[in-house]
Amino acid sequence: MTRQQRISQVFVELADTLVAQFDVIDFLHTLADRCVELLQADAAGLMLADQRGHLRVVASSAESARVVEVFELQHEEGPCLDAFTTGQQVVNLHDDQMRDRWPAFSAAAMQMGFRSTHALPMRLRDNLIGALNLFARESTPLTADDVALGQAMADVATIGLLQERAGRETAVLVEQLQAALNSRIVLEQAKGVLAERSQISPEEAFVTLRTYARSHGLKLTVVAMMVLDNSLRPSELEAR
Amino acid sequence: MTIGGASRVTEILAALQRGAPGAPDTDLPDRLVTMCVAAVPVTGAGIIVMANSGPGAMLASTDGPAAVMEELQFSFGEGPCVDASTSGRPVLQPRLQRTGPARWPAFADGALDCGVRAIFAFPLQVGGIRVGVLDLYRDVEGDLDPRELAESLAFADAATSVLLRLQARTGLRDTDPGLVDMVDRRAEVHQATGMVSVQTVLGLAEALVLLRAHAFAAERPLLDIARAVIMRTLRFHPVSDDHG
């Protein structure tokens, strides 16, 4: 399959998810994974602003705590914050530029082996809701086509967040964003509960939850809630 | 957009504590709704607590119509408050006359009769921890603008923190961090909450409060404690009953 065919296939997959059993957190995770694949990145994260204007990670391709931390740092400084506050794409900066612009963030990113980082704003008309963040271990620049593709992915993520309702007013946005942010916390709590019950890591717990959700045609958030209210036991989750 | 500095939630909680020094904690919900109505352009506000079956009793309200509205939702089992608590998302109804009757026929009738024209219901929650709903309403139609929404959400988080504190008070004794913002956003804190709730055979709310109290007593940041729990270098155990 050519890269072009794969790109088309990914967009069909994302469109299908928008229409079918839609779970916003699962959708954003899938989108982050596909960004890594299509844009030769090593990690991708989707950051949304809560109503206080702080950027929060809603989904990332890597669930490893240390990588997520580098995303989370950006509520103070970093390419995502810049993309979100200015609405501009922040791409193809060299090591030196990164260090000058965001000293603390660059140090953390370099420590994880990330030599380049890019951030694309998530916006719908006048609403800037967050940013898509990419990290790569190599410092190969993104081509103009890559940037356009990345922006398209960010735009799909934005649409995905707003797709349940026809309206685009602030009120709808608030309802959607608050629900998504809270769903993320539900997922984190469920990861902890399952990690303890099954004596596995939170990352492994995430994979178990997601696998179960998909093979049973359930929303990820629903499965997470079932773990929390004890209607789903670890033995059932791990059964094939 | 507010970035950096003391968060608005922390400011509200500090103001609540300063406002009536020496007053019992049970006064906090009433003081919160009073403060909320002064800060956001709404006519009244109420806090409902969660029961197992859904929204339950009203804990605090600013005036008569709030009490009537909560009564309506409780009796009919429908309304913005009910939807907000079961769905875990805010329910923003700036034009109740237009959208209410179709969605909640019995409730909308009673609410419109009281003169209510807009309702904004915010679930009080931290993930799976659901403690209640903050209900704001006004006697004229109209949206809350982005700044007012941000302010309302700050009051909702403050109310969540107040309710969690009220629930936990009896267990805290001398490891009491005071009235703090409980609505954390860091993944590790929530993972640790889940783990501790299993270790201690407590609910998530109690586990969260326990983590905070432990961090306070140990004089370590909450994130450090959370990480230690995840790395399994710190373990909690079922809490005994003899705090006598």
Side-chain angles (χ1 to χ4, degrees):
Chain A
M1 162 179 326
T2 65
R3 182 159 182 265
Q4 211 44 51
Q5 285 169 327
R6 179 59 185 147
I7 291 173
S8 302
Q9 195 178 60
V10 166
F11 276 94
V12 169
E13 176 194 10
L14 292 173
D16 276 351
T17 316
L18 285 176
V19 171
Q21 274 279 46
F22 182 70
D23 179 290
V24 67
I25 300 295
D26 197 7
F27 169 73
L28 294 175
H29 272 285
T30 305
L31 196 136
D33 287 343
R34 298 295 168 265
C35 282
V36 166
E37 181 194 329
L38 296 179
L39 297 167
Q40 295 95 48
D42 290 293
L46 283 140
M47 314 272 295
L48 292 183
D50 64 21
Q51 278 310 107
R52 306 175 213 189
H54 292 151
L55 284 177
R56 303 294 168 191
V57 179
V58 177
S60 74
S61 61
E63 285 294 299
S64 125
R66 299 193 57 207
V67 174
V68 172
E69 208 182 305
V70 185
F71 287 122
E72 279 179 346
L73 272 176
Q74 297 188 69
H75 77 276
E76 302 256 320
E77 73 170 41
C80 269
L81 189 57
D82 288 5
F84 169 65
T85 49
T86 64
Q88 302 296 312
Q89 298 172 335
V90 178
V91 295
N92 293 333
L93 277 85
H94 306 304
D95 294 357
D96 293 338
Q97 291 167 311
M98 278 170 65
R99 264 193 292 271
D100 280 339
R101 217 157 142 174
W102 318 293
F105 165 78
S106 297
M110 305 279 183
Q111 209 173 38
M112 292 302 303
F114 295 132
R115 304 276 311 282
S116 61
T117 179
H118 315 279
L120 300 166
M122 290 170 67
R123 82 183 314 155
L124 195 71
R125 296 193 198 107
D126 297 327
N127 293 305
L128 275 164
I129 65 171
L132 166 64
N133 197 193
L134 304 168
F135 290 118
R137 302 221 139 82
E138 302 301 315
S139 50
T140 332
L142 291 178
T143 63
D145 281 351
D146 287 338
V147 173
L149 177 57
Q151 189 62 59
M153 301 290 275
D155 293 346
V156 170
T158 308
I159 290 167
L161 278 162
L162 299 174
Q163 67 101 30
E164 282 180 355
R165 311 280 186 90
R168 302 277 192 251
E169 315 101 24
T170 311
V172 173
L173 198 53
V174 166
E175 291 183 12
Q176 291 288 90
L177 291 181
Q178 290 302 309
L181 288 165
N182 199 61
S183 292
R184 172 75 176 185
I185 296 178
V186 169
L187 180 61
E188 297 303 329
Q189 290 168 339
K191 280 160 69 175
V193 166
L194 184 56
E196 182 62 19
R197 285 197 184 131
S198 299
Q199 292 294 300
I200 55 181
S201 72
E203 289 80 21
E204 289 168 313
F206 173 71
V207 174
T208 306
L209 290 167
R210 199 180 188 187
T211 307
Y212 185 90
R214 286 184 176 176
S215 59
H216 288 76
L218 292 170
K219 294 186 180 190
L220 181 58
T221 309
V222 167
V223 174
M225 280 301 300
M226 287 168 77
V227 168
L228 292 185
D229 68 24
N230 223 357
S231 52
L232 196 53
R233 313 222 145 243
S235 49
E236 293 171 74
L237 278 164
E238 276 146 36
R240 291 276 158 258
Chain B
M1 206 164 34
T2 44
I3 298 176
S7 79
R8 181 61 185 135
V9 178
T10 305
E11 275 176 21
I12 292 170
L13 293 173
L16 277 173
Q17 293 197 288
R18 272 197 316 269
D25 280 349
T26 43
D27 280 4
L28 286 166
D30 275 306
R31 298 214 303 279
L32 188 146
V33 291
T34 304
M35 212 173 131
C36 183
V37 167
V40 181
V42 292
T43 321
I47 295 176
I48 325 301
V49 290
M50 280 296 289
N52 282 333
S53 49
M58 190 178 58
L59 191 63
S61 73
T62 50
D63 60 17
V68 173
M69 282 216 318
E70 307 324 337
E71 188 52 49
L72 286 171
Q73 298 190 77
F74 193 69
S75 311
F76 294 122
E78 65 170 39
C81 192
V82 178
D83 286 6
S85 69
T86 50
S87 69
R89 52 199 291 160
V91 175
L92 308 175
Q93 291 283 305
R95 283 159 282 275
L96 191 65
Q97 208 154 24
R98 203 183 313 166
T99 54
R103 202 161 160 185
W104 314 286
F107 165 79
D109 228 30
L112 290 166
D113 270 354
C114 288
V116 173
R117 291 291 175 269
I119 300 180
F120 311 100
F122 299 91
L124 305 179
Q125 59 192 2
V126 183
I129 301 172
R130 299 204 167 160
V131 292
V133 181
L134 173 67
D135 242 355
L136 308 180
Y137 64 92
R138 56 148 76 110
D139 53 11
V140 293
E141 288 191 346
D143 297 277
L144 293 173
D145 71 25
R147 190 205 67 81
E148 292 156 0
L149 278 168
E151 186 72 350
S152 306
L153 286 161
F155 273 95
D157 283 354
T160 303
S161 305
V162 166
L163 289 184
L164 283 170
R165 176 174 176 73
L166 287 177
Q167 284 175 14
R169 251 165 66 240
T170 47
L172 287 171
R173 306 294 165 178
D174 46 30
T175 54
D176 181 1
L179 186 56
V180 289
D181 183 2
M182 298 293 279
V183 188
D184 210 293
R185 295 281 177 205
R186 295 164 297 183
E188 287 139 308
V189 171
H190 301 299
Q191 289 168 18
T193 305
M195 291 176 72
V196 170
S197 83
V198 174
Q199 288 168 5
T200 55
V201 196
L202 289 174
L204 289 166
E206 289 91 337
L208 179 57
V209 171
L210 190 59
L211 276 167
R212 276 225 174 252
H214 185 93
F216 179 75
E219 294 179 344
R220 286 168 67 190
L222 179 60
L223 190 58
D224 278 5
I225 300 296
R227 285 180 177 155
V229 169
I230 293 169
M231 303 282 288
R232 301 182 195 279
T233 57
L234 174 61
R235 227 195 125 70
F236 286 78
H237 301 278
V239 178
S240 65
D241 270 302
D242 57 357
H243 277 296

